Amino acid sequence: VLDKMFDKTIKKLIKSNLTVILGSDAHSVETRPPQMDEAFRVITEKYGISVAKRIKENMNFVFQNIVSNGEGL
């Protein structure tokens, strides 16, 4: 039930072009690694390659600006 609620919310955000980036609640690369490849596979399957590309481009833009501003991660 919870997954359906999240799925419905995510669908609304994507259709409204409000989805800017994708995040992970990974706590450690060893014990709880991010599963970004899987997330992008699901996004591509459900919403298409153009949505997945847009989100990746936005993530790269945010990351590059953090690094270029010297803010670190």
Side-chain angles (χ1 to χ4, degrees), residues 2-4 8 12 14-15 17-18 23 28-29 31 33-34 36 38 43 45-46 50 52 55 61 65 73:
L2 199 56
D3 288 339
K4 287 184 181 184
K8 191 174 181 179
K12 284 182 183 179
I14 287 174
K15 285 188 173 198
N17 283 331
L18 295 174
S28 164
V29 275
T31 59
M36 301 304 277
E38 175 67 10
I43 289 170
E45 264 182 27
K46 288 188 172 194
S50 62
I55 293 172
F61 177 79
N65 281 299
L73 295 175

Side-chain angles (χ1 to χ4, degrees), residues 17-18 21 33 36 38-39 41 43 52-53 57 62 64 68:
N17 283 331
L18 295 174
I21 61 173
M36 301 304 277
E38 175 67 10
R41 185 191 65 73
I43 289 170
K53 282 183 178 181
E57 288 169 359
V62 170
Q64 290 300 322
S68 68

